[in-house]
Each structure stands twice: as C-alpha cells, then as structure tokens.
Amino acid sequence: MRITRTRIAPLAIAALVGLPFLAAGPASAADSGTELSATLTELNDSGASGTAWGMLDGNKLHITLETKGLLDGAPHAQHIHIGGTNSCPGADIKGTGPNGELQTSDGVPAYGAVRVSLTNEPGKTGADAALDVANFPATGSYTYERVIELDDETAAEVAKGDSQIVVHGVDHDGSGAYDGDAKSDLDPSLPAEATNPAMCGEFNVAQMAMPEGGVATGGAGTAGTENMGLIAAGALTVALGGLGLASTRRRAGEGR
C-alpha cells in the first residue's frame, strides 16, 4: 500500500473539545522549595527516553528536561498535564490508532489535560500555547531549561506531585518525517505521528537530586528551532482539552 507523505505546514489545530479539566480544590500557592523529578519512558515504541527535574519556589517552577531518541528535525510539543488518574499510560496499552498506536486522547484518562506548555523562550507557557509549534524543541536529543510562573491552582497540584510531563511526536514508520495515512485524532488534516505521545513521566516529589548547574532563577533557554524550516510559522488557533502536542542553546528570559 502506498503511503502518502504529508508535510506539516502551519499547524492550526482544532483541539479536542469536551475533555474535562481537573476539578481541583481551592486555589492556593504551593509550598516553596519543592523539588520534583520524573523519568520519561517511551510510549508507542518511540525509542525515546528522558529525565526531568524541577524546583518549585512559591509559584515559580524551575524546570529542566533532558531527552534523547526522538525524531530529529520535527517539532516535539511538550507539556505538564494535570488530571485523570495523575499517571502515565502503560507502555503496553493498546490505543485507538489503526495499528494500536496510542493517540493523544487515549492517554487523557491517565495524564489529564494540558496545564503548562513547555515552549522555548519567548513562547507563552499557558495551556493556550499547547500547539505553539514554532516554539517547541525540534531536535532528536535536547536539553530544555526554563523558569515558568504557574497559577495558584497549578502550582498547588505540581507541589503535591500530581502532574505528568508528556512529550509528543512519533515516527511510527521510520520515514524520517511525520507522514502516513493515519490521521491525528486531534485534527484529521494532520498525520497521527505529529500528535501521538512519544513519552511520559510522573512529575513526583523528587527521588533524585536536581543536576548541578540547574536552572537559575530568572533564566530560561532552549534551542533547536533552526530545523523549523519544515514548518512554516503561522497563526495557530488552539482550543484545549487534553491535547498534548528544543535543545541545547540557552536564551535568557522568563515568560508566560
């Protein structure tokens, strides 16, 4: 069967509608000085892996991700999710994709909805930036660092260890690009490979130490956007609900 390759142009994606946001308790600032960590394990046989560390000081989250094994030269949306059972789907869980691939919506009962978008500086970091493709990492292996101001409700959940980190984008057929006949469960104009989750980790109160030289207050940095010629940057229209759509150069700044 011939595979029709679909290159991603500006990703103006209509997100899932109707997926419930976490019904959280009263909003309050999280306790300061909470250290967090996550081991990111592969989903969809992506071959990807990674580690995340965080330090939550009041509502300010200092976060570092180190990843490898992702598709190089393609954007990898990454988010903090809250809700569901506050867990990651098992690697062996069969999804609703045509060959049993786990699609984004398949993971929502476990990892919940997007609450923080881990974009490159100067991208916005709210849930409404979940598909800000031009500002996500776009290399196969990268180190991501940023300082993000959380709202009270999100900070409280993160401080309890009730959040997950999900990274997206899987080259199922090994073609070196997001393509194929299977369409995204978020937008049928996109290949499923562009939005399927590649790895997930539960962002728990730390069981490992944050690496030396971690994020400094006020600092933020990522790179990898030099490969974004694959994608024409354009206006993106994003409506959320459990979606979940890089790198080694630092940029200073802090944004929301």
Side-chain angles (χ1 to χ4, degrees):
M1 176 175 66
R2 180 175 177 179
I3 294 177
T4 301
R5 296 169 65 87
T6 304
R7 293 282 182 178
I8 301 179
L11 292 179
I13 300 179
L16 287 169
V17 176
L19 291 174
F21 253 23
L22 173 70
S28 61
D31 294 334
S32 63
T34 303
E35 192 169 350
L36 302 130
S37 66
T39 298
L40 307 179
T41 57
E42 71 173 359
L43 296 172
N44 280 314
D45 295 321
S46 66
S49 61
T51 309
W53 297 271
M55 178 64 73
L56 184 66
D57 183 5
N59 284 35
K60 187 170 291 187
L61 176 66
H62 309 227
I63 187 166
T64 302
L65 272 70
E66 292 185 357
T67 73
K68 62 181 179 179
L70 293 161
L71 176 62
D72 196 30
H76 295 283
Q78 50 184 21
H79 314 101
I80 296 176
H81 290 242
I82 294 175
T85 57
N86 286 311
S87 62
C88 288
D92 58 347
I93 291 179
K94 194 163 184 146
T96 57
N99 297 303
E101 299 91 347
L102 191 75
Q103 300 190 92
T104 300
S105 57
D106 296 329
V108 169
Y111 48 61
V114 171
R115 296 293 287 275
V116 181
S117 299
L118 301 177
T119 56
N120 298 337
E121 178 68 27
K124 294 182 179 179
T125 57
D128 58 346
L131 296 177
D132 185 6
V133 177
N135 282 308
F136 282 118
T139 57
S141 299
Y142 57 84
T143 297
Y144 171 91
E145 296 184 18
R146 192 162 185 184
V147 179
I148 297 172
E149 189 79 18
L150 307 179
D151 61 52
D152 287 348
E153 183 179 294
T154 300
E157 296 300 322
V158 170
K160 291 190 297 185
D162 286 345
S163 64
Q164 292 64 242
I165 295 175
V166 183
V167 180
H168 300 261
V170 184
D171 183 16
H172 292 295
D173 60 9
S175 69
Y178 295 150
D179 57 18
D181 292 333
K183 301 305 180 183
S184 168
D185 59 336
L186 305 182
D187 187 326
S189 70
L190 299 172
E193 293 184 338
T195 58
N196 285 353
M199 56 183 169
C200 179
E202 297 173 19
F203 206 29
N204 295 321
V205 175
Q207 300 299 312
M208 63 182 92
M210 191 166 184
E212 288 293 325
V215 188
T217 303
T222 57
T225 55
E226 63 271 18
N227 291 315
M228 293 308 293
L230 295 175
I231 298 176
L236 300 174
T237 301
V238 179
L240 290 175
L243 353 138
L245 220 282
S247 82
T248 54
R249 299 181 188 160
R250 294 171 177 262
R251 299 177 189 165
E254 180 174 327
R256 190 173 163 58

